Amino acid sequence: MSTEENKAVVRRAYEEGMNGKDMGIIDEVFAPEYVAHFPGVPSIRGRDAIKELIGSFLAAFPDIVFTVEDQIAEGDKVATRWTARGTHQGEFRGFPPKTHGIPPTGKQVLFSATDIYRIAGGKIIEEWNTLEQLDVMQQLGVVSAPAE
């Protein structure tokens, strides 16, 4: 696949999958052997795991909208810088989800990340996710922001 086709696969995951709340897109754009790497936590593996992760996140922020700001592709990799804005209306269990959650606060959040995706056979097979949860936790009022 071309780098433009690879970028379109990733963009579809955000725009149709997450923004459209369409979990069926996961089966179309993620490989069965998908692996996601997150800072400081064990990797998750497989489509069922990513469906659970995204479902939990969308339940916590049901009005969230992801915007793909930039994409750069080379070979089988796509770097995507995105922003997200939503309201904390359900229990937030982290990303990836943990056992204990944060009850809904009703607060608006705005956060961003730049993630790298590896594409094989037209599907996302691996992801290196850079979401900084501390920023989200500060916006929810769970963690104090550093003093200036």
Side-chain angles (χ1 to χ4, degrees):
M1 291 183 64
S2 72
T3 55
E4 290 304 312
E5 289 170 318
N6 287 345
K7 289 194 297 188
V9 168
V10 174
R11 184 177 292 275
R12 186 166 182 231
Y14 284 96
E15 293 175 353
E16 293 180 39
M18 292 186 283
N19 286 348
K21 316 299 188 262
D22 185 351
M23 297 305 265
I25 297 296
I26 301 304
D27 291 327
E28 296 177 26
V29 300
F30 287 85
E33 64 274 21
Y34 167 81
V35 178
H37 309 281
F38 295 90
V41 297
S43 298
I44 65 164
R45 298 179 181 279
R47 278 191 264 204
D48 288 342
I50 192 64
K51 285 179 184 178
E52 179 184 339
L53 183 148
I54 292 172
S56 175
F57 197 74
L58 294 177
F61 302 94
D63 65 344
I64 198 158
V65 175
F66 291 86
T67 303
V68 173
E69 304 289 352
D70 292 301
Q71 286 187 303
I72 300 169
E74 183 174 334
D76 65 350
K77 302 255 181 20
V78 177
T80 301
R81 184 177 67 85
W82 54 267
T83 57
R85 178 186 304 271
T87 310
H88 182 214
Q89 299 176 44
E91 183 180 55
F92 178 51
R93 295 179 41 227
F95 198 82
K98 311 236 181 346
T99 55
H100 301 295
I102 300 164
T105 63
K107 294 185 178 181
Q108 286 267 326
V109 294
L110 172 63
F111 54 94
S112 64
T114 301
D115 300 332
I116 299 172
Y117 299 87
R118 184 167 64 89
I119 312 298
K123 295 190 184 281
I124 300 169
I125 193 164
E126 196 165 15
E127 172 185 355
W128 292 266
N129 187 292
T130 64
L131 176 63
E132 179 51 67
Q133 290 191 70
L134 180 59
D135 182 36
V136 176
M137 299 298 190
Q138 289 172 338
Q139 291 180 57
L140 294 178
V142 177
V143 175
S144 297
E148 292 185 24

